[in-house]
Amino acid sequence: MDGLVLSHPEQLERLRRACPAAEDAAVLAGDPCYDRMLAAVRHRERFRRALGVRRGQRLVVLNSTWNPEGLFGNGGGQDVLPSLLPRLTAELPADDYRLAAVLHPNVWHGHGPGQVRAWLDQARRSGLTLVDPVHAWRQAVLAADVVLGDFGAVSYYGAALGIPVMLAATGQDRLDPDAPLASFVRDAPRLDPHRALREQVERVIAAHRPLTGPAEFTSSAPGASAALLRRHFYALMDLPEPEAPALLEPLPLPPYDPPLRTAPLHVRTGVQGAEVVIERSTRHPYGADGIAHLAVHEDTLDPGILELADVITQDGQPDDPRLGSPQAWTSEVLARYPHCTVAAYVSGPHTCTVRSRQHGVYQLTASPKSDADPAAYASSFTAWLATGGRVPREGITLRVQVAGGAHPVLIESVLPGDLATQP
């Protein structure tokens, strides 16, 4: 063996105890993966935008290693993730939280991409994004507000970067008790899958104090791994090093991958004058207050649920020939689904066209500084109309309270009510 690369002297001490003959081959050279992440911290907001994280939203990154005791597990009855995902999408409001999952490449390889996507299909329809396990997982971790995972390296890197981490699977029996990872697993906050999830997530974010161990033991030479590794490689080849500095490839900006929620959303609203407070999630909690309605994307998996929807939504360009114009599409939807009271066509990041069966057709426009889902504006407008709201000729501005912020939304009439349901 010409070289055994280690990232910290602590590893050298354990190597010396476990295999003294390998000590001479050990090379302390830092951690290039960690160094690439450190260099990309400044792009955190770009990575968040790439994942479609809106202002005021919190990004929860779930991660699983490939061991049977990991969060994804082996399909046994003790696996946490199958029961956890539906509850996360139900208990974490859609406009307040964004969910993404990083699964170890061996999970994908062992089961196959088709099977993994099939297992997680319902969660994906509820807004979960599956992150590329090779090219984009580092960016997702950097973008996270909290990492929810297990004893794998992703959780440890997150903690090393100062991100709040909760463990839902520890796998302590698989860890060397003297390793820093084992110490981290013992000290990190735990997720209790039997208690309310939102309360636990919010508490770990609010009370977060970075653990010192992960940042200390991930690398003894942060930022220097490229130089140390190159020096070792050229020494092995007995060649002089180039004069140019040794550099690592920067982390690329991932493709834009916003959530497309096609699972039905239970909407709860509170209306006071022109102020509308809204919360949307995939399940309606028992005993919840406020005006409630069911909002369903037209591309939902179960078309039968459209017959029960109060609000039906669609996303598309205003000139998409497949859907027709926003006015044509909204008219078609109301004619097809008699129970539906409002059809909303989202045509941009800040705009949507809304047709009310009783009141007319309206254009909803939020300020570019606002950053909520226009479908949430449509549901807020629906609730406001249901409480007796009427749009004057000059229009009106509603203030939609969602994701910890107030979003002014201008409502302007496009078509009067007596023509609203005509094709």
Side-chain angles (χ1 to χ4, degrees):
M1 181 185 297
D2 293 317
L4 181 61
V5 176
L6 306 176
S7 64
H8 194 278
E10 178 275 332
Q11 298 169 9
L12 180 59
E13 291 300 320
R14 284 193 291 130
L15 177 67
R16 184 181 292 118
R17 294 195 301 268
C19 183
E23 180 181 354
D24 291 342
V27 178
L28 287 171
D31 185 332
C33 176
Y34 184 55
D35 286 354
R36 293 179 75 196
M37 297 175 79
L38 288 175
V41 167
R42 65 185 186 277
H43 296 317
R44 168 180 161 84
E45 290 303 318
R46 294 182 185 177
F47 298 152
R48 289 173 67 83
R49 290 194 294 268
L51 282 167
V53 180
R54 298 178 182 274
R55 284 190 295 274
Q57 276 189 318
R58 288 168 167 171
L59 173 62
V60 180
V61 172
L62 298 99
N63 79 88
S64 177
T65 189
W66 61 282
N67 284 296
E69 295 85 358
L71 185 61
F72 199 83
N74 61 357
Q78 301 302 313
D79 280 3
V80 177
L81 197 62
S83 61
L84 190 62
L85 276 176
R87 290 186 54 212
L88 282 170
T89 58
E91 296 182 33
L92 301 183
D95 297 296
D96 294 73
Y97 287 89
R98 175 83 169 93
L99 296 177
V102 174
L103 304 180
H104 193 283
N106 284 359
V107 173
W108 291 92
H109 177 75
H111 299 294
Q115 180 63 76
V116 171
R117 292 182 183 279
W119 279 333
L120 302 181
D121 181 69
Q122 183 57 42
R124 293 170 62 211
R125 294 176 185 275
S126 299
L128 175 76
T129 288
L130 293 176
V131 176
D132 185 312
V134 176
H135 301 292
W137 70 267
R138 301 170 187 85
Q139 296 90 320
V141 172
L142 286 166
D145 291 288
V146 60
V147 172
L148 175 56
D150 55 24
F151 53 95
V154 174
S155 297
Y156 200 72
Y157 278 126
L161 292 162
I163 299 166
V165 175
M166 295 182 74
L167 300 183
T170 60
Q172 283 186 297
D173 293 342
R174 284 187 169 267
L175 304 177
D176 178 350
D178 295 329
L181 177 59
S183 176
F184 161 70
V185 166
R186 288 191 294 268
D187 296 339
R190 295 282 196 278
L191 180 81
D192 184 347
H194 304 294
R195 291 175 47 220
L197 300 178
R198 182 178 181 179
E199 177 185 339
Q200 294 183 72
V201 170
E202 291 179 349
R203 183 187 299 117
V204 80
I205 293 174
H208 175 58
R209 298 292 183 273
L211 298 174
T212 58
E216 177 184 354
F217 290 109
T218 296
S219 173
S220 60
S225 64
L228 293 171
L229 286 169
R230 189 177 72 175
R231 182 181 308 160
H232 175 65
F233 297 153
Y234 274 83
L236 289 176
M237 295 184 291
D238 195 24
L239 292 173
E241 279 192 72
E243 293 184 2
L247 302 172
L248 295 171
E249 187 75 17
L251 294 180
L253 186 62
Y256 184 52
D257 190 13
L260 178 60
R261 293 184 178 88
T262 60
L265 291 174
H266 295 272
V267 183
R268 297 172 299 283
T269 55
V271 180
Q272 186 170 6
E275 301 275 339
V276 183
V277 178
I278 183 170
E279 188 171 283
R280 304 184 300 161
S281 60
T282 57
R283 291 184 188 174
H284 182 66
Y286 179 77
D289 296 329
I291 304 169
H293 65 258
L294 181 66
V296 183
H297 196 281
E298 190 183 29
D299 297 335
T300 185
L301 181 63
D302 178 11
I305 199 69
L306 292 168
E307 302 287 350
L308 305 176
D310 302 292
V311 176
I312 296 177
T313 64
Q314 180 58 272
D315 298 81
Q317 296 300 314
D319 57 351
D320 190 332
R322 300 168 300 171
L323 298 172
S325 69
Q327 290 196 31
W329 178 87
T330 54
S331 177
E332 175 189 332
V333 165
L334 291 188
R336 181 176 298 159
Y337 301 104
H339 180 81
C340 178
T341 59
V342 166
Y345 188 105
V346 176
S347 55
H350 310 291
T351 60
C352 68
T353 300
V354 171
R355 183 184 293 267
S356 165
R357 190 177 295 277
Q358 294 183 340
H359 302 288
V361 181
Y362 302 90
Q363 183 73 18
L364 277 57
T365 308
S367 164
K369 294 182 179 180
S370 295
D371 194 23
D373 184 352
Y377 302 150
S379 277
S380 300
F381 181 49
T382 301
W384 181 76
L385 290 174
T387 60
R390 296 295 180 268
V391 180
R393 185 180 300 273
E394 67 275 13
I396 190 172
T397 297
L398 301 183
R399 285 174 56 85
V400 178
Q401 303 281 350
V402 67
H407 304 263
V409 181
L410 176 63
I411 316 292
E412 298 175 292
S413 178
V414 175
L415 196 65
D418 59 350
L419 299 175
T421 58
Q422 298 183 21

